Amino acid sequence: MFGVLVVAAPDGRIGYLRGFSGMLDGRWRIDGFAPPLFEPIARDAFLPAGEAELRALGERHTELVEGPEPTALRASLAELTARHGAAMEEMRARHDENRGLRHDARQRLAHGEVSDDERHATLQVLGEESRADAAELRRLEGAHHQEREVVVSALRALDTERAGLEHLRAERSRQLWWRISESYVIPNARGESRTVGALFAPEPPPGGAGDCAAPKLLGHAYRHGLRPLALAEFWWGAPPLTGGRHAGAYYPACRSKCGGVLPYMLEGLHVELEPRPEAGPGPVDALRVLYEDAWLLVVDKPRGLLSIPGRHEPSRDSVLVRLRRRDPDATGLVVVHALDPDTSGLLLVARDPMTHAALQRRFARSEADRRFVAWLDGQVAGGEGVIELPIRPDREDRRRHLVDPLHGKRAVTGWCVTQRSGTRTRVSLWPRTWLPHQLRVHAAHPLGLGAPVSGDRLYGGDDTRLMLHAEALTFVHPHTGVCVELECRAPF
């Protein structure tokens, strides 16, 4: 990310500062850009040694997990396990055979004509043979245990050292990060300053806190007696692998890192209030019920209206709150698949948990379908296809989601181009799975359609509205078995 800060000098002259997030081309300082909020010379006094210690601990940890010693010990244990298992199997087979012979001998004694003395002597011999087999089994098990214990003890010692090393490395890493965070001096417009560690205390600050373009620019302006007037941050270059960034597009400051830094840095300045995220512009239209029966209903959700109220704001204006106000006896209403606040269109609501579960099963078994329509900013290559990109919440900005092949959940979207107009493309979208922001992320990501939904302030650019609408809904009614088909044309 790059940033530009418009500033005013004490004599009234207007100018600008420029900055970048993190490092650029492997460097913290580049002429013409705002420097970092720490002093590199002071950091160099402790950081190289701390990083070298962490590397050494990491290398030793690797040796304890994957090195020659644990590898050889695990191989030896596997060989012992196989050999002991074969020996034990051979002995049990021989003992089973002996047990069968003794059983036959007892049967002959029971049905044969032998004297009491002979029967007693024979039974005594058979008992001794049985006890001898049991003793032999115990001796073998004892010998196997002694052999295994030598290897297992060695592995246990390595595991104990590994656990101690992990604890030590974590502690050293925390200590080093604390020293790093204390080296960041964060000023504000009042002339005050605090460290990054103090701003996030008692929790440790997130990695990269204070390294974004905005804090660098504000800090540089304060140090030179300049008054900030306007700030903008934008992405330049190829999009990241996780998507959500496009060259030349402007983006708000991240919440996880800058959220704990910028409010303090802006103290003493007159600033505009932060816009409410995902809040649709203008008044929210009335809610229209398009289908209703004893078990479910379908509404045309207007843009700007929440599907469900927030967990901590149960009475906040939303589809559910309006439906409950419309019918106070409808206490079991459950939204089947919530729409984003700025997405309009068909929203399916169950009247009770059993109907909700049945509808969920319908979608899981492809006995229900949804079609969305969207305008995208950009020309989409090809005419139709299927996108399969796993996504997860962005831990650095909980408003957003991103593509993550390793930790993301499976997300599948079918698509088809229906119209092309200048630099924009109109598409139909069929979500085969249902994850938050799935359609928006799949549209914007370069491995998806590579064109964000028009008006998508999170993944693209601003516009009059988010051009995404749930246009059609088809499902087999869970109680009547009738196929219900509904359509609500997009208002754009």
Side-chain angles (χ1 to χ4, degrees):
M1 293 283 284
F2 289 84
V4 174
L5 178 66
V6 180
V7 294
D11 60 7
R13 288 179 300 153
I14 304 297
Y16 69 89
L17 305 174
R18 55 185 178 177
F20 55 85
S21 295
M23 303 175 75
L24 183 61
D25 196 25
R27 292 184 290 169
W28 288 106
R29 288 180 174 269
I30 293 181
D31 291 341
F33 290 86
L37 290 171
F38 62 85
E39 178 52 55
I41 295 177
R43 176 183 282 201
D44 289 345
F46 66 87
L47 186 58
E51 290 178 333
E53 182 185 15
L54 291 179
R55 280 196 302 273
L57 292 174
E59 290 169 359
R60 177 56 183 161
H61 183 272
T62 301
E63 289 180 5
L64 292 173
V65 176
E66 304 172 1
E69 185 178 5
T71 300
L73 286 172
R74 284 192 293 268
S76 177
L77 185 60
E79 187 273 330
L80 282 177
T81 301
R83 179 160 54 82
H84 291 172
M88 191 65 69
E89 187 67 25
E90 186 275 330
M91 179 174 287
R92 286 201 174 101
R94 180 160 47 83
H95 287 180
D96 286 344
E97 183 180 357
N98 293 344
R99 191 176 298 109
L101 294 175
R102 289 194 295 272
H103 174 75
D104 293 343
R106 290 189 180 94
Q107 289 293 104
R108 286 194 298 271
L109 285 176
H111 298 93
E113 294 183 1
V114 295
S115 66
D116 291 341
D117 290 343
E118 185 179 356
R119 179 179 292 104
H120 176 74
T122 303
L123 289 174
Q124 187 173 2
V125 170
L126 294 175
E128 290 174 353
E129 289 178 355
S130 178
R131 289 188 289 274
D133 282 354
E136 184 183 26
L137 180 61
R138 288 194 297 273
R139 287 194 298 273
L140 183 63
E141 288 174 340
H144 286 177
H145 175 75
Q146 289 182 352
E147 275 191 284
R148 285 177 58 85
E149 188 58 28
V150 173
V151 180
V152 169
S153 296
L155 282 171
R156 192 181 300 120
L158 292 180
D159 195 54
T160 300
E161 183 181 354
R162 177 195 56 76
L165 200 66
E166 289 175 353
H167 177 76
L168 177 62
R169 191 174 188 276
E171 184 61 30
R172 289 287 191 270
S173 181
R174 282 191 293 268
Q175 293 172 357
L176 182 61
W177 175 232
W178 181 253
R179 293 192 66 181
I180 291 173
S181 66
E182 289 296 291
S183 70
Y184 283 80
V185 179
I186 310 297
N188 65 17
R190 293 197 182 104
E192 304 162 341
S193 64
R194 300 180 70 182
T195 66
V196 166
L199 290 177
F200 285 88
E203 298 298 322
D211 288 332
C212 295
K216 289 183 183 180
L217 289 166
L218 290 171
H220 194 54
Y222 295 149
R223 282 194 295 269
H224 291 81
L226 304 173
R227 181 165 56 90
L229 300 177
L231 171 69
E233 291 181 288
F234 61 93
W235 182 268
W236 194 256
L241 293 178
T242 52
R245 295 288 185 265
H246 300 272
Y250 293 92
Y251 297 95
C254 63
R255 291 182 177 271
S256 63
K257 294 179 287 189
C258 292
V261 174
L262 288 182
Y264 175 78
M265 299 191 78
L266 294 173
E267 289 182 7
L269 287 180
H270 175 71
V271 296
E272 297 178 1
L273 293 176
E274 179 186 15
R276 193 182 191 96
E278 295 294 292
V284 177
D285 297 334
L287 189 68
R288 292 194 304 141
V289 177
L290 304 182
Y291 176 90
E292 185 173 13
D293 61 26
W295 301 282
L296 56 88
L297 46 85
V298 179
V299 302
D300 176 15
K301 188 189 86 65
R303 67 186 178 100
L305 181 65
L306 295 168
S307 296
I308 57 177
R311 181 169 53 184
H312 303 295
E313 299 178 273
S315 61
R316 185 177 176 184
D317 190 21
S318 62
V319 171
L320 276 188
V321 168
R322 291 190 183 187
L323 290 176
R324 288 166 182 162
R325 190 180 303 132
R326 172 178 175 265
D327 181 4
D329 294 330
T331 58
L333 296 176
V334 187
V335 171
V336 177
H337 291 122
L339 297 177
D340 297 334
D342 283 351
T343 302
S344 57
L346 298 174
L347 182 68
L348 179 59
V349 182
R351 289 188 177 275
D352 58 81
M354 289 184 60
T355 301
H356 175 262
L359 288 168
Q360 292 279 25
R361 289 193 294 270
R362 289 281 191 267
F363 281 99
R365 294 197 295 255
S366 299
E367 296 173 354
D369 201 12
R370 295 149 295 184
R371 185 180 78 244
F372 287 72
V373 61
W375 275 107
L376 309 182
D377 288 332
Q379 287 290 347
V380 174
E384 62 181 26
V386 176
I387 303 164
E388 188 164 356
L389 294 171
I391 62 177
R392 64 165 174 81
D394 185 347
R395 288 185 289 270
E396 296 185 353
D397 187 348
R398 287 297 179 180
R399 299 172 302 170
R400 296 164 46 84
H401 286 68
L402 49 79
V403 171
D404 186 341
L406 292 178
H407 306 292
K409 291 184 178 180
R410 181 174 179 265
V412 183
T413 303
W415 63 275
C416 175
V417 173
T418 59
Q419 185 180 346
R420 300 182 188 272
S421 177
T423 60
R424 300 205 306 173
T425 306
R426 188 180 180 94
V427 296
S428 290
L429 301 168
W430 292 269
R432 304 307 184 199
T433 55
W434 190 255
L435 297 178
H437 291 198
Q438 174 180 320
L439 300 181
R440 297 163 67 179
V441 172
H442 279 181
H445 196 276
L447 296 180
L449 296 179
V453 176
S454 299
D456 193 336
R457 295 190 297 275
L458 285 180
Y459 305 101
D462 208 349
D463 205 331
T464 55
R465 63 156 288 170
L466 180 70
M467 298 293 184
L468 180 62
H469 179 80
E471 187 176 54
L473 176 64
T474 303
F475 62 93
V476 177
H477 199 291
H479 295 283
T480 66
V482 175
C483 182
V484 179
E485 297 183 5
L486 297 167
E487 189 163 338
C488 177
R489 304 298 295 178
F492 51 79

